Amino acid sequence: MRKPRSWSWLLLFTTSGTLLCCAIPITLVSLGLGATVATMVSSAPWIITLSQYKGWMFLLSGVLIGLSAWSVYRSERSCPLDPELAAACQRADVWNRRFIWVAGGMWAAGFVAAYGLPLVR
């Protein structure tokens, strides 16, 4: 039996990156909390680098979310025949599906904050 690939950590990193670079700072500034954003950026200056490459961040994370969704929802995916392993596989599938939906929601929130909110003035 082949061990399944885990996209979870890379998926979490990229979707969290889109929130950190774009969604959280824009939302805080929109709420009048610019000093909070300034403190956040001075504590973690790498956020500026992420926001400079936000187009690539969103593209990469969108592709990874798409690959993860394909990996979890593809039709030829099956669980082992051993009842114990099958139960563990089904539980993992449920959590993987939840995780993909959460990651997709995070990506969508970041996308709206990065590209939609600046248009609303």
Side-chain angles (χ1 to χ4, degrees):
M1 183 174 81
R2 198 174 76 173
K3 184 178 178 182
R5 291 190 177 137
S6 174
W7 297 91
S8 301
W9 291 108
L10 191 56
L11 183 62
L12 178 63
F13 172 73
T14 57
T15 54
S16 299
T18 60
L19 280 179
L20 285 174
C21 85
C22 311
I24 293 172
I26 290 171
T27 304
L28 290 173
V29 169
S30 298
L31 294 173
L33 301 170
T36 305
V37 175
T39 303
M40 187 171 73
V41 169
S42 68
S43 298
W46 49 267
I47 292 174
I48 299 295
T49 305
L50 284 180
S51 65
Q52 289 173 342
Y53 297 104
K54 72 179 178 183
W56 288 108
M57 285 291 298
F58 279 103
L59 179 66
L60 175 65
S61 60
V63 167
L64 288 174
I65 291 170
L67 286 172
S68 297
W70 172 80
S71 172
V72 169
Y73 287 103
R74 70 181 192 266
S75 60
E76 60 269 358
R77 183 177 170 94
S78 62
C79 287
L81 295 176
D82 180 5
E84 210 173 292
L85 292 176
C89 175
Q90 289 171 350
R91 279 193 308 274
D93 274 350
V94 167
W95 281 104
N96 284 336
R97 290 168 196 253
R98 288 177 186 163
F99 190 74
I100 286 172
W101 281 103
V102 167
M106 289 171 55
W107 187 89
F111 189 84
V112 167
Y115 295 107
L117 288 181
L119 298 175
V120 179
R121 290 187 183 203

